[in-house]
Amino acid sequence: MKIPIGGVCEPGTTIANKTGGWRTYRPVYDYEKCIKCKLCELLCPDMSVFPKEDGYFQFNYDYCKGCGICANECPKSAITMVLEEK
Amino acid sequence: MTPKGDLKMDKMVVVEGSYAVAHAVKVCRPNVISAYPITPQTHIVEDLAKFIADGEIQNCECINVESEFSALSALVGSSAVGARSYSATTSQGLELMHEVLFNVAGMRLPIVMTVANRAVSAPINIWNDHQDAISQRDTGWIQLYGENIQEVSDMTAQAFKIAEDKDILMPAMVCMDGFILSHVYEPLVMLEQDLTDEFLPSYEPLNILDPKKPLSFGAFADPNYYTEFRYMQQKAMTNALKKIEDAADEFYDLFGRYYGGLIDEYQTEDADIILMAMGSIIGTIKDTIDKLRQKGVKVGLLKVRAFRPFPAEAIRKAVKDAKIVVVLDKNISLGLNEGALFTETKSCLYNTSNHVPVVGYMIGHGGRDIRMSTIENIISEAQEVMKSGIKVESQFTDLREELL
Amino acid sequence: MKEIRIHGRGGQGSVTAAELLAVAAFADGKFSQAFPAFGVERRGAPVQAFTRINDEPIRLRSQIYEPDYVIVQDPTLIEVVDVAGGLKDDGTIIINSDFDPSHFKLDTKAKVVTVNATKIALDIIGRPIVNTVLLGAFAGATGEIRPESIKKAVKERFPGKVGDRNAEAIQQAYDMMKEAKA
Amino acid sequence: MKQLFVSGHRGCAGCCDAMAAKFTLMGAGEDCIVVSPTGCLEVMTTPFPETSWNVPWIHSLFENAAAVASGIEAALIAMGKKGNTRVVAIGGDGATMDIGLQAISGAFERGHDFTYVCVDNEAYMNTGVQRSSGTPFDASTTTSPVGKVSFGNQRPKKNMPAIIAAHGSPYVATTSLGYAKDMISKVKKATETPGPTYIHCHAPCTTGWGFDTSKTVEIAQMAVKTGLWPLFEMENGEVTKVRKIGKAAPVEDYLKMQSRFKHLFSKEGGAEEIAKIQAIADKNIEYYGL
């Protein structure tokens, strides 16, 4: 890598930085309870909740920092936070 | 050295220095002008505002900002979008910009700014010296100083060309002595639009803020990277040394006018005494030299056009045969009791085989008028130093002892 | 090189007069330079402006201490300012006044001339603006500059009727000075 | 839909700034240029050579985001590139309400077509939780600490929306991270409104306020429910829309969730202080008709 003049950065490149290692608790879905309200995807500050083809959601554990907002806000308590097994 | 051009009187008009600058800016086709009024820069921005009001500058927006800080900040945005961007200021306004000056240079934005040099408060003083610009010497801005309004006008186009060069991409200050040059009426050839278009191509930025190619500007660099950013800025400044000379030569080829590249020399060829200075004092020194040459005093002048990048090599070459070098500074580094040009000239001769004595005079602070007789006194003191060595290395000139 | 110092009060157009003189001198084929004694004076305060005229390009940037000519726009200034200070012995000082030159006891060996520029201005321009009128008088009294060049410079700066009336006043002041010399 | 703000940023778990940036871009859309002043958001999203932004983005200094935005807008106009491109500044409360206020005032007075989004987490979080003029009454920060003779910050929040509205802005709105869709639609409206527009977003900071990382949204909602953070829109200086809260929750419910207010529940005289905060909420409820 060479530093470009003025130090401009190519877009969306923090994707190289996998923040999943910050996590203490990991979110886990209970798809039985999920009503596909999309709130978890909307509220995730780490853009690590993604819709699946079937309309349910999945976590991108490469980036999820385990904040637990999705679990706290899920109207159906479909997400629980479990201790990371290290 | 490139020969001097002839002054073509039939192409000259008598205008105010500020108007000459505003007109030069106009023909350089700026896209964004952003400035805050401050004496003695005001006439420049007023004249530009009139051009805009009369529709004489196409594709240009003029922002009447609420401070100098915002004046330059707005240009950070405009230059990053790819706009040719211009401002003008002086003194307190320039000092208020201090933080932004670093930012512009670090982001490699080739903004050009006229500085109508003025003293810095306190006490408040609206008259000329160079303390304002000299105090910004480490910010990464190219600093050029002009001796008359023709040179300042021509230098404005040169500054854009130098700053926007892909090997440089550093901002540039065109320094003109406040009032002495900003408010003087004298004849000059105003930059012709067609020749200027030929001399100065449109600005083609390397990177711009563009939704189609969404780059990020102004990221923070941690200790793993910061050093290299600084190194690259210095390298650009080093590249500018040659580009400043090239721009002066290319300008001469097209316009037929030449005022020196990094430096200019006057009667230095056989000179025992070489004076060094920047700005409008140059003319007064030249007249003094002519007078003393008639009396057989072998005195010459090294005019410094580029203070940043510092033309160390050119200076070493110009003073190699001198018996004494006398540096006149319209500024002081308080606590060192020296002007910046003096300190740096001494510094660039150290570690060389040239052990010529160098003495410094701080002169013309806060608009104190500089007369030929003052220059003559300095030269006669230099003759003493040649005989008996340096007694006082650096001193104030024209101190009114009765006030102390 | 000829150096001219103009004394006036803030608002009387001394700086404009110095500039017009520079423009006119250049029209005559000479190099010129005009600049004010940069100050923070406001309307009414004594002010000075300078013009240099030369056959060669002018490099000198100091203020003018030993003028060849002095123009005094307002005779009341003589009480408060040393208007003849440094004036060369063979120089000329032109005072806007209806008194005879002998009325003014100035400490100078230079020639003192007076012209009632205020009256000319009132008669022709209709307002007591004397700066341009005095330039006509300067041309007449010194021969340093052609009155046509002054008129041209003034008309460029003040187009239309104002310029025409000024030009007429300039010519009259010029003629009066020429007559007085003859 | 293209992610305009991507993963891998260095914000804390539960970061309010990241949410605010995400919602802002969802409202503003792809065709925008973003300016950020110095602050948490800037630092955490752009460690060279990386950036979390998928829109053009620029950071210059702490106090000049609005001026930089002015220059961007002017340049787009001058160069005939304005089109539908939105210029959006996103700054924290310090950069907006304190050090950058002059530049903001200038830009709003001059009428540049841009939107300024203040992400108000009520203190200087980037430097370690020092008070700003956005810090609420009685909040403990490192420069307004609780002490033997102090209950923390002794001034109420500066009324920034009113200051902007007084500049003649055509659209000023408050919003909250507790109401994501409210924020997205208000940013959209602001960016679609010609002229200088302003969004003030209440943004609970897990680190600075002292609460569990999962509670960012919940606490934001509670601030609204108590009346301490009214949600409203102003058009041309007039309040035109208010989010009704029904029966207001007592301010204790909000305060007790955060360690920056915990002294109010342990220190002698705390009840009187809570009453003062309740008075602030009551006044909001009455003034805005919440």
Side-chain angles (χ1 to χ4, degrees):
Chain A
M1 177 217 140
K2 296 267 186 208
I3 295 175
I5 286 181
V8 296
C9 302
E10 293 294 323
T13 38
T14 50
I15 211 84
N17 181 45
K18 301 209 169 155
T19 52
W22 299 21
R23 203 168 49 240
T24 307
Y25 293 91
R26 73 157 56 204
V28 178
Y29 268 114
D30 180 350
Y31 288 112
E32 299 283 301
K33 294 182 182 168
C34 177
I35 54 166
K36 304 179 184 175
C37 74
K38 303 180 182 173
L39 206 56
C40 52
E41 182 196 17
L42 177 66
L43 297 177
C44 177
D46 288 295
M47 284 63 68
S48 49
V49 183
F50 286 90
K52 300 198 293 180
E53 276 181 11
D54 59 7
Y56 290 106
F57 291 85
Q58 63 184 351
F59 295 105
N60 185 338
Y61 292 110
D62 282 349
Y63 302 104
C64 169
K65 292 170 187 158
C67 68
I69 288 176
C70 54
N72 196 63
E73 299 306 322
C74 179
K76 295 292 169 189
S77 300
I79 305 168
T80 47
M81 301 302 289
V82 300
L83 194 64
E84 275 290 339
E85 289 171 33
K86 302 254 170 170
Chain B
M1 189 167 61
T2 315
K4 309 274 178 203
D6 286 331
L7 287 169
K8 299 189 181 76
M9 279 188 87
D10 59 322
K11 293 179 85 180
M12 297 177 109
V13 286
V14 176
V15 297
E16 195 192 38
S18 295
Y19 183 86
V21 169
H23 182 270
V25 171
K26 180 178 95 166
V27 298
C28 287
R29 301 190 187 277
N31 298 119
V32 176
I33 297 166
S34 173
Y36 186 78
I38 177 170
T39 304
Q41 153 266 36
T42 39
H43 290 184
I44 298 172
V45 293
E46 287 169 357
D47 289 339
L48 283 166
K50 187 75 170 74
F51 288 145
I52 297 268
D54 289 337
E56 290 183 30
I57 313 182
Q58 298 297 311
N59 306 318
C60 182
E61 288 285 310
C62 199
I63 315 178
N64 288 322
V65 281
E66 82 294 338
S67 72
E68 286 89 356
F69 195 91
S70 283
L72 193 54
S73 295
L75 297 187
V76 168
S78 63
S79 187
V81 174
R84 182 168 283 163
S85 302
Y86 172 83
S87 189
T89 190
T90 176
S91 183
Q92 311 305 132
L94 184 62
E95 308 314 320
L96 185 58
M97 287 179 179
H98 181 67
E99 188 189 9
V100 198
L101 294 172
F102 277 105
N103 202 248
V104 168
M107 291 172 82
R108 308 295 295 272
L109 301 172
I111 295 165
V112 169
M113 179 158 67
T114 304
V115 176
N117 294 110
R118 166 185 149 183
V120 179
S121 172
I124 189 163
N125 173 296
I126 59 168
W127 293 271
N128 167 249
D129 65 32
H130 291 163
Q131 195 67 56
D132 53 357
I134 295 294
S135 301
Q136 304 300 346
R137 69 176 176 180
D138 297 332
T139 55
W141 282 61
I142 292 164
Q143 282 194 15
L144 307 174
Y145 289 77
E147 78 171 272
N148 57 35
I149 71 172
Q150 184 76 66
E151 185 178 14
V152 173
S153 163
D154 297 353
M155 201 177 249
T156 303
Q158 293 175 21
F160 276 112
K161 193 178 177 82
I162 296 159
E164 292 172 1
D165 189 285
K166 287 205 164 45
D167 292 331
I168 299 170
L169 288 170
M170 293 293 273
M173 276 178 210
V174 175
C175 298
M176 71 190 301
D177 285 347
F179 284 119
I180 299 172
L181 294 184
S182 64
H183 284 54
V184 73
Y185 272 68
E186 62 188 27
L188 91 158
V189 184
M190 291 206 283
L191 289 180
E192 297 90 342
Q193 186 68 68
D194 53 344
L195 289 178
T196 308
D197 286 343
E198 199 176 330
F199 176 74
L200 179 65
S202 58
Y203 171 40
E204 283 173 20
L206 286 182
N207 298 299
I208 56 168
L209 289 170
D210 179 3
K212 290 186 202 76
K213 188 173 185 277
L215 300 170
S216 285
F217 284 59
F220 83 88
D222 70 17
N224 289 312
Y225 298 101
Y226 186 81
T227 307
E228 287 68 28
F229 275 85
R230 300 297 278 169
Y231 175 86
M232 288 167 74
Q233 286 183 68
Q234 172 52 40
K235 202 170 156 218
M237 275 293 197
T238 306
N239 294 344
L241 286 167
K242 178 158 190 313
K243 187 67 200 175
I244 291 166
E245 302 218 302
D246 289 351
D249 290 343
E250 287 170 40
F251 190 91
Y252 172 75
D253 291 342
L254 262 174
F255 294 86
R257 293 189 296 276
Y258 183 79
Y259 292 89
L262 294 163
I263 62 165
D264 198 20
E265 296 178 58
Y266 185 76
Q267 304 278 12
T268 49
E269 212 157 276
D270 64 339
D272 294 330
I273 304 166
I274 291 185
L275 267 59
M276 286 176 61
M278 308 193 290
S280 68
I281 190 178
I282 294 296
T284 305
I285 295 173
K286 284 176 178 170
D287 272 13
T288 312
I289 287 173
D290 284 2
K291 187 177 170 192
L292 293 176
R293 280 271 171 183
Q294 284 177 358
K295 295 180 189 168
V297 182
K298 287 163 105 178
V299 55
L301 167 72
L302 194 172
K303 160 179 147 181
V304 176
R305 284 183 92 232
F307 179 67
R308 279 293 179 276
F310 191 71
E313 199 54 52
I315 291 170
R316 281 185 210 119
K317 210 171 135 196
V319 304
K320 68 179 178 354
D321 298 322
K323 297 205 173 96
I324 180 166
V325 175
V326 182
V327 186
L328 308 186
D329 268 289
K330 286 187 174 181
N331 69 88
I332 177 172
S333 176
L334 294 173
L336 183 61
N337 194 37
E338 291 181 4
L341 185 60
F342 171 61
T343 304
E344 300 194 358
T345 299
K346 269 198 305 180
S347 154
C348 81
L349 292 169
Y350 197 79
N351 289 340
T352 71
S353 56
N354 187 349
H355 299 123
V356 61
V358 186
V359 294
Y361 289 85
M362 291 160 288
I363 192 167
H365 292 257
R368 177 75 48 92
D369 196 32
I370 300 167
R371 305 175 64 170
M372 280 171 64
S373 56
T374 306
I375 309 288
E376 283 180 66
N377 288 341
I378 287 170
I379 292 168
S380 75
E381 283 180 28
Q383 289 173 308
E384 278 307 305
V385 176
M386 275 201 295
K387 283 181 215 150
S388 50
I390 295 175
K391 295 209 167 57
V392 182
E393 198 184 14
S394 176
Q395 59 190 295
F396 277 86
T397 312
D398 279 348
L399 267 187
R400 293 181 61 193
E401 300 287 352
E402 74 274 18
L403 298 179
L404 300 170
Chain C
M1 182 146 64
K2 299 293 181 188
E3 297 185 314
I4 301 116
R5 188 171 68 211
I6 302 174
H7 290 274
R9 293 188 182 277
Q12 288 182 336
S14 310
V15 178
T16 305
E19 292 162 9
L20 291 169
L21 198 51
V23 173
F26 185 73
D28 271 358
K30 294 180 176 167
F31 286 92
S32 58
Q33 177 195 66
F35 57 100
F38 326 109
V40 288
E41 290 82 6
R42 301 301 198 245
R43 196 163 286 273
V47 297
Q48 294 175 36
F50 308 100
T51 304
R52 288 192 171 100
I53 301 172
N54 198 22
D55 292 332
E56 297 292 314
I58 298 163
R59 303 182 301 199
L60 186 63
R61 298 284 172 191
S62 65
Q63 296 192 18
I64 290 172
Y65 299 91
E66 292 171 358
D68 298 275
Y69 305 108
V70 169
I71 297 171
V72 183
Q73 299 214 70
D74 185 337
T76 62
L77 282 168
I78 293 168
E79 302 296 318
V80 286
V81 182
D82 180 14
V83 292
L87 178 60
K88 290 199 177 109
D89 289 351
D90 59 351
T92 302
I93 178 166
I94 299 157
I95 303 169
N96 170 25
S97 170
D98 63 344
F99 285 113
D100 187 78
S102 60
H103 172 81
F104 297 101
K105 305 288 177 260
L106 296 173
D107 184 15
T108 180
K109 288 178 181 153
K111 189 163 89 179
V112 182
V113 298
T114 57
V115 57
N116 194 345
T118 307
K119 183 172 186 305
I120 296 172
L122 283 170
D123 287 351
I124 300 175
I125 306 170
R127 292 169 64 199
I129 296 168
V130 300
N131 59 343
T132 54
V133 183
L134 282 164
L135 294 183
F138 172 80
T142 67
E144 289 289 351
I145 202 152
R146 296 188 310 130
E148 289 73 26
S149 298
I150 292 176
K151 286 192 280 187
K152 182 166 167 274
V154 170
K155 280 185 180 179
E156 274 171 15
R157 177 72 71 97
F158 308 106
K161 268 192 185 154
V162 180
D164 292 344
R165 289 195 193 125
N166 270 279
E168 198 186 321
I170 288 164
Q171 186 64 45
Q172 187 171 84
Y174 175 81
D175 292 343
M176 283 173 69
M177 281 290 120
K178 289 299 260 190
E179 274 172 40
K181 258 171 109 180
Chain D
M1 193 176 124
K2 185 178 171 186
Q3 291 264 3
L4 299 180
F5 184 74
V6 307
S7 308
H9 63 74
R10 275 70 164 172
C12 301
C15 175
C16 58
D17 279 350
M19 292 174 79
K22 177 180 173 178
F23 299 160
T24 298
L25 292 184
M26 288 172 80
E30 195 173 346
D31 191 4
C32 73
I33 297 175
V34 174
V35 185
S36 286
T38 308
C40 262
L41 181 63
E42 168 259 324
V43 169
M44 77 196 208
T45 58
T46 60
F48 180 85
E50 295 171 7
T51 177
S52 302
W53 302 85
N54 239 335
V55 292
W57 178 92
I58 184 169
H59 158 251
S60 171
L61 297 165
F62 199 4
E63 63 275 49
N64 70 356
V68 174
S70 304
I72 291 171
E73 188 246 17
L76 291 174
I77 293 170
M79 300 170 82
K81 293 161 78 171
K82 180 75 172 65
N84 287 317
T85 302
R86 308 287 163 194
V87 180
V88 181
I90 312 177
D93 46 300
T96 305
M97 300 161 78
D98 290 343
I99 196 167
L101 183 62
Q102 176 180 316
I104 290 171
S105 177
F108 274 78
E109 176 276 318
R110 291 189 300 272
H112 294 280
D113 183 19
F114 82 119
T115 297
Y116 195 104
V117 179
C118 172
V119 182
D120 181 4
N121 57 24
E122 304 193 323
Y124 290 92
M125 299 315 181
N126 194 35
T127 43
V129 203
Q130 295 83 23
R131 89 172 281 276
S132 76
S133 60
T135 302
F137 182 71
D138 272 354
S140 182
T141 73
T142 57
T143 53
S144 62
V146 173
K148 284 175 190 153
V149 295
S150 174
F151 277 94
N153 183 48
Q154 287 307 291
R155 297 292 303 158
K157 282 174 79 74
K158 186 189 280 186
N159 189 347
M160 191 67 187
I163 291 168
I164 298 295
H167 282 74
S169 168
Y171 184 73
V172 171
T174 58
T175 187
S176 160
L177 291 186
Y179 301 85
K181 286 175 182 162
D182 179 88
M183 180 167 185
I184 294 164
S185 67
K186 281 173 176 170
V187 170
K188 185 165 188 293
K189 187 167 176 184
T191 53
E192 286 171 356
T193 304
T197 53
Y198 182 77
I199 302 290
H200 197 120
C201 171
H202 195 234
C205 170
T206 170
T207 309
W209 297 13
F211 58 81
D212 185 79
T213 58
S214 64
K215 304 286 185 191
T216 307
V217 173
E218 188 180 332
I219 287 179
Q221 288 172 348
M222 190 56 81
V224 173
K225 287 173 184 166
T226 57
L228 280 172
W229 187 251
L231 299 187
F232 57 84
E233 290 173 276
M234 296 175 82
E235 290 176 58
N236 301 308
E238 301 292 326
V239 176
T240 50
K241 242 184 220 173
V242 170
R243 185 185 186 97
K244 301 281 183 187
I245 59 173
K247 189 180 181 307
V251 296
E252 285 99 318
D253 289 1
Y254 173 65
L255 301 173
K256 71 188 177 196
M257 298 169 87
Q258 308 165 52
S259 59
R260 64 176 175 161
F261 292 118
K262 70 171 190 278
H263 54 284
L264 300 177
F265 301 94
S266 58
K267 199 166 142 74
E268 198 180 330
E272 286 83 354
E273 293 300 308
I274 292 171
K276 289 179 196 169
I277 297 170
Q278 185 62 56
I280 294 170
D282 292 346
K283 199 176 157 197
N284 282 341
I285 291 164
E286 191 192 333
Y287 182 84
Y288 292 101
L290 303 175

mmCIF file of all heavy atoms in Angstrom, chain B residues 268-281:
data_model
loop_
_atom_site.group_PDB
_atom_site.id
_atom_site.type_symbol
_atom_site.label_atom_id
_atom_site.label_comp_id
_atom_site.label_asym_id
_atom_site.label_seq_id
_atom_site.Cartn_x
_atom_site.Cartn_y
_atom_site.Cartn_z
ATOM 1 N N THR B 268 24.874 41.880 -8.035
ATOM 2 C CA THR B 268 25.601 41.015 -7.100
ATOM 3 C C THR B 268 26.925 40.511 -7.676
ATOM 4 O O THR B 268 27.768 40.009 -6.926
ATOM 5 C CB THR B 268 24.756 39.767 -6.729
ATOM 6 O OG1 THR B 268 24.273 39.186 -7.938
ATOM 7 C CG2 THR B 268 23.616 40.125 -5.820
ATOM 8 N N GLU B 269 27.075 40.615 -8.977
ATOM 9 C CA GLU B 269 28.180 39.945 -9.645
ATOM 10 C C GLU B 269 29.541 40.212 -8.984
ATOM 11 O O GLU B 269 30.288 39.297 -8.707
ATOM 12 C CB GLU B 269 28.234 40.368 -11.104
ATOM 13 C CG GLU B 269 28.754 39.261 -12.005
ATOM 14 C CD GLU B 269 28.289 39.446 -13.429
ATOM 15 O OE1 GLU B 269 27.159 39.023 -13.762
ATOM 16 O OE2 GLU B 269 29.061 40.072 -14.183
ATOM 17 N N ASP B 270 29.818 41.482 -8.719
ATOM 18 C CA ASP B 270 31.110 41.834 -8.127
ATOM 19 C C ASP B 270 30.939 42.381 -6.712
ATOM 20 O O ASP B 270 31.835 43.021 -6.177
ATOM 21 C CB ASP B 270 31.779 42.906 -8.999
ATOM 22 C CG ASP B 270 30.971 44.193 -9.023
ATOM 23 O OD1 ASP B 270 29.736 44.128 -8.713
ATOM 24 O OD2 ASP B 270 31.540 45.263 -9.314
ATOM 25 N N ALA B 271 29.759 42.124 -6.118
ATOM 26 C CA ALA B 271 29.441 42.814 -4.865
ATOM 27 C C ALA B 271 30.209 42.232 -3.675
ATOM 28 O O ALA B 271 30.277 41.012 -3.494
ATOM 29 C CB ALA B 271 27.943 42.734 -4.600
ATOM 30 N N ASP B 272 30.793 43.116 -2.876
ATOM 31 C CA ASP B 272 31.364 42.706 -1.593
ATOM 32 C C ASP B 272 30.243 42.566 -0.563
ATOM 33 O O ASP B 272 30.245 41.670 0.266
ATOM 34 C CB ASP B 272 32.351 43.768 -1.089
ATOM 35 C CG ASP B 272 33.569 43.863 -1.999
ATOM 36 O OD1 ASP B 272 33.933 42.829 -2.608
ATOM 37 O OD2 ASP B 272 34.138 44.965 -2.104
ATOM 38 N N ILE B 273 29.323 43.514 -0.639
ATOM 39 C CA ILE B 273 28.204 43.533 0.318
ATOM 40 C C ILE B 273 26.954 43.068 -0.421
ATOM 41 O O ILE B 273 26.596 43.626 -1.457
ATOM 42 C CB ILE B 273 27.952 44.960 0.844
ATOM 43 C CG1 ILE B 273 29.240 45.531 1.462
ATOM 44 C CG2 ILE B 273 26.790 44.983 1.821
ATOM 45 C CD1 ILE B 273 29.180 47.029 1.693
ATOM 46 N N ILE B 274 26.296 42.043 0.113
ATOM 47 C CA ILE B 274 25.022 41.627 -0.480
ATOM 48 C C ILE B 274 23.920 41.790 0.565
ATOM 49 O O ILE B 274 23.985 41.214 1.656
ATOM 50 C CB ILE B 274 25.077 40.179 -0.999
ATOM 51 C CG1 ILE B 274 26.020 40.118 -2.221
ATOM 52 C CG2 ILE B 274 23.679 39.686 -1.382
ATOM 53 C CD1 ILE B 274 26.078 38.767 -2.896
ATOM 54 N N LEU B 275 22.938 42.618 0.203
ATOM 55 C CA LEU B 275 21.766 42.772 1.047
ATOM 56 C C LEU B 275 20.741 41.719 0.644
ATOM 57 O O LEU B 275 20.627 41.374 -0.538
ATOM 58 C CB LEU B 275 21.148 44.165 0.847
ATOM 59 C CG LEU B 275 21.604 45.275 1.802
ATOM 60 C CD1 LEU B 275 23.104 45.463 1.706
ATOM 61 C CD2 LEU B 275 20.876 46.578 1.516
ATOM 62 N N MET B 276 19.994 41.238 1.624
ATOM 63 C CA MET B 276 18.899 40.292 1.339
ATOM 64 C C MET B 276 17.623 40.830 1.948
ATOM 65 O O MET B 276 17.620 41.344 3.067
ATOM 66 C CB MET B 276 19.201 38.913 1.943
ATOM 67 C CG MET B 276 20.262 38.142 1.197
ATOM 68 S SD MET B 276 20.643 36.580 2.016
ATOM 69 C CE MET B 276 19.071 35.735 1.955
ATOM 70 N N ALA B 277 16.528 40.716 1.200
ATOM 71 C CA ALA B 277 15.251 41.207 1.712
ATOM 72 C C ALA B 277 14.115 40.639 0.880
ATOM 73 O O ALA B 277 14.345 39.969 -0.134
ATOM 74 C CB ALA B 277 15.220 42.735 1.690
ATOM 75 N N MET B 278 12.888 40.929 1.318
ATOM 76 C CA MET B 278 11.692 40.461 0.603
ATOM 77 C C MET B 278 10.667 41.599 0.552
ATOM 78 O O MET B 278 10.578 42.416 1.456
ATOM 79 C CB MET B 278 11.037 39.288 1.349
ATOM 80 C CG MET B 278 11.996 38.160 1.683
ATOM 81 S SD MET B 278 11.138 36.661 2.218
ATOM 82 C CE MET B 278 10.501 37.161 3.812
ATOM 83 N N GLY B 279 9.902 41.635 -0.529
ATOM 84 C CA GLY B 279 8.759 42.548 -0.600
ATOM 85 C C GLY B 279 9.100 43.915 -1.150
ATOM 86 O O GLY B 279 10.060 44.097 -1.902
ATOM 87 N N SER B 280 8.317 44.904 -0.759
ATOM 88 C CA SER B 280 8.369 46.220 -1.390
ATOM 89 C C SER B 280 9.637 47.000 -1.054
ATOM 90 O O SER B 280 9.956 47.981 -1.718
ATOM 91 C CB SER B 280 7.149 47.050 -0.979
ATOM 92 O OG SER B 280 7.231 47.378 0.390
ATOM 93 N N ILE B 281 10.356 46.574 -0.030
ATOM 94 C CA ILE B 281 11.606 47.246 0.334
ATOM 95 C C ILE B 281 12.647 47.070 -0.783
ATOM 96 O O ILE B 281 13.603 47.845 -0.886
ATOM 97 C CB ILE B 281 12.142 46.679 1.683
ATOM 98 C CG1 ILE B 281 13.305 47.538 2.209
ATOM 99 C CG2 ILE B 281 12.583 45.242 1.520
ATOM 100 C CD1 ILE B 281 13.838 47.052 3.549
#
